[in-house]
Amino acid sequence: MKIYLDGNFVDAADAKISVFDHGLLYGDGIFEGIRLYKGNVFRLDEHLERLEYSAKALMLKLPLSRKELAEATCETCRRNNLTDGYIRLVVTRGVGDLGLSPWLCATPSLFIIADKIALYPKEYYEKGLEIVTVATRRMSPAALPPAVKSLNYLNNILAKIEARQAGALEAIMLNDQGYVAECTGDNIFIVHKGRILTPSSQAGALRGITRDSIFDIAREVGVPIEEHDLTRYDVWNADEAFLTGTGAEVIPVVKLDGREVGAGRPGPIFEKILAAFRRRVLTEGTRI
Ligand code: PMP
């Protein structure tokens, strides 16, 4: 496997980052997870825009322009003969000293990995996930804007550990006001009386690229969709629920906190959305 690392393509075994890199020492950096479907990089421009926004928020200077980042991403796929898979694009603050100061990190590092991913076992895409609400709250926007896709995922990892301890593969995280924010690595949607609802980024949701595509798909298939504050009660009493993410794609949820969601199986609106999503991923992309 060839990894793009700061302008070069190197073997995976040689793709190394300094122990003084603040991405490692402090989680000071940003990333994108991007899908590749039959030679199409799904919504690459949107991913790179989000990366730029994350960089702006952290005052991190991206080492390449959007065009150059797109080219490096596509070239990494080509070098690995990959036509279907998952791309991880990471920008770290770079090498500094043992203090926090980002100003002492002269050059950010950029690496791109193009590989495969299977987030959930296949059976859950058919029968649906049973998830739980965990005690770990989503980081408050006052502490770290949840829209920043940073290398610091400890908040989500603590939630993921709680999910696992409760025997679930994914968990709902609430915001500090007790409203549903999102899951540890996915956005959440519910369907209630024919409308699709999802928490806003103000409520703590990452502005997911897959989430964005669901808004377009809902409009295409004629189902009303809106951002809405949601409580656990709303999810328990939803007719349907599903999660979205680049890794997860679109996956149904059939139980939350021991309560069956709707009929306890993937619902008709989910099926409609999924079918349209499957069509879109083949057409909405940048050819590598
Ligand atoms: N929320 C979190 C916390 C995530 O890490 C992700 C990405 N895995 C998502 C939502 C989904 O975002 P996207 O559709 O852009 O992958």
Side-chain angles (χ1 to χ4, degrees), residues 181-194:
E182 61 178 346
C183 292
T184 70
D186 307 308
N187 290 115
I188 182 159
F189 291 79
I190 66 167
V191 179
H192 189 243
K193 296 193 191 298

Side-chain angles (χ1 to χ4, degrees), residues 19 33 35 41 101 110 140 158 165 191 217 237 250 287:
V19 293
R35 276 265 184 186
V41 186
S101 175
L110 164 66
S140 151
L158 288 181
Q165 284 171 339
V191 179
I217 289 170
N237 287 301
V250 188
R287 277 308 301 159

Side-chain angles (χ1 to χ4, degrees), residues 238-255:
D239 302 318
E240 302 181 33
F242 58 92
L243 311 182
T244 68
T246 297
E249 303 182 283
V250 188
I251 186 164
V253 170
V254 293
K255 206 180 248 190

Side-chain angles (χ1 to χ4, degrees), residues 48 61 92 102 180 193 211 215:
L48 295 178
K61 192 170 166 1
T92 71
V180 172
K193 296 193 191 298
R211 176 184 182 277
F215 277 79

Side-chain angles (χ1 to χ4, degrees), residues 1 82-86 114-118:
M1 184 193 294
L82 201 70
T83 54
D84 290 87
Y86 176 87
D115 200 0
K116 298 273 180 193
I117 195 170

Side-chain angles (χ1 to χ4, degrees), residues 31-33 47 50 86 119 138 149 153 156 182-187 205-212 244-248:
F31 76 99
E32 285 296 319
H47 278 287
R50 186 172 65 183
Y86 176 87
L119 216 60
R138 186 77 177 110
K149 200 159 168 59
Y153 256 56
N156 308 58
E182 61 178 346
C183 292
T184 70
D186 307 308
N187 290 115
L206 180 79
R207 293 199 185 110
I209 304 297
T210 324
R211 176 184 182 277
D212 274 354
T244 68
T246 297

